[in-house]
Amino acid sequence: MKLKRILILLGFALICALLFPVPATAQEDQPGTAQPQPLLIYTQYPSRLIGIGETVTLPLKIRAGTAQTVRLEVSELPAGWNASFRGGSQIVDAVYADGEDEAAVDLRIEPPVSAQPGKVDITVRAIGDDDESELVVSLTIKEKLPPSL
């Protein structure tokens, strides 16, 4: 009789557990504990063909998981080349990423008229508060570009 009572109580407890589960309290389920997205810099077309002496403007997007000011740098720029970041019709060296939407800035690259045909890789860096991101832009210089469509 005592065993029967224990089995009935256990059965009742099992049915209650199945019908009324206890919500999980894992740390990742709690609001405000998710890890922010890493800092990211990118462009839709990271590789371009250009003619000798042609100035290139690349639209860049910067995404950050938290609101912050992101500094911008260009490295591995060949001698005689110029590069500048432009935002709002001004030359800038940083952009504000609000942590939700993408920030936009243009990278203007000006090769010298004496640039020789070949491939040039330029590294663009975005430096945030606690993170940084790099983008390699490849430019292939041709004497004569194919006709545009």
Side-chain angles (χ1 to χ4, degrees):
M1 179 104 166
K2 197 174 187 182
L3 180 62
K4 189 175 181 182
R5 184 187 274 177
I6 292 173
L7 289 175
I8 290 173
L9 286 173
L10 284 175
F12 180 72
L14 180 63
I15 290 172
C16 287
L18 292 174
L19 292 176
F20 307 105
V22 176
T25 58
Q27 188 174 7
E28 55 269 4
D29 292 341
Q30 296 176 5
T33 59
Q35 293 292 328
Q37 291 183 348
L39 182 63
L40 178 65
I41 184 169
Y42 66 96
T43 185
Q44 193 168 1
Y45 305 107
S47 181
R48 300 260 313 257
L49 291 176
I50 63 171
I52 292 177
E54 179 183 344
T55 297
V56 179
T57 301
L58 293 170
L60 302 176
K61 302 285 184 181
I62 294 94
R63 187 182 309 156
T66 59
Q68 59 186 296
T69 299
V70 179
R71 290 180 304 138
L72 302 168
E73 295 179 354
V74 174
S75 60
E76 301 178 29
L77 194 64
W81 290 52
N82 291 315
S84 59
F85 296 99
R86 300 187 180 244
S89 301
Q90 301 176 53
I91 295 176
V92 300
D93 60 2
V95 65
Y96 180 75
D98 66 8
E100 294 179 16
D101 298 318
E102 296 173 336
V105 68
D106 289 333
L107 171 61
R108 183 176 171 153
I109 302 171
E110 301 173 47
V113 291
S114 61
Q116 297 298 313
K119 184 177 175 183
V120 174
D121 288 337
I122 298 169
T123 302
V124 183
R125 290 182 27 170
I127 305 162
D129 294 338
D130 299 320
D131 199 5
E132 69 179 61
S133 178
E134 288 188 352
L135 168 69
V136 176
V137 174
S138 296
L139 300 176
T140 303
I141 303 169
K142 299 260 185 175
E143 283 189 37
K144 185 176 179 184
L145 289 178
S148 60
L149 298 175

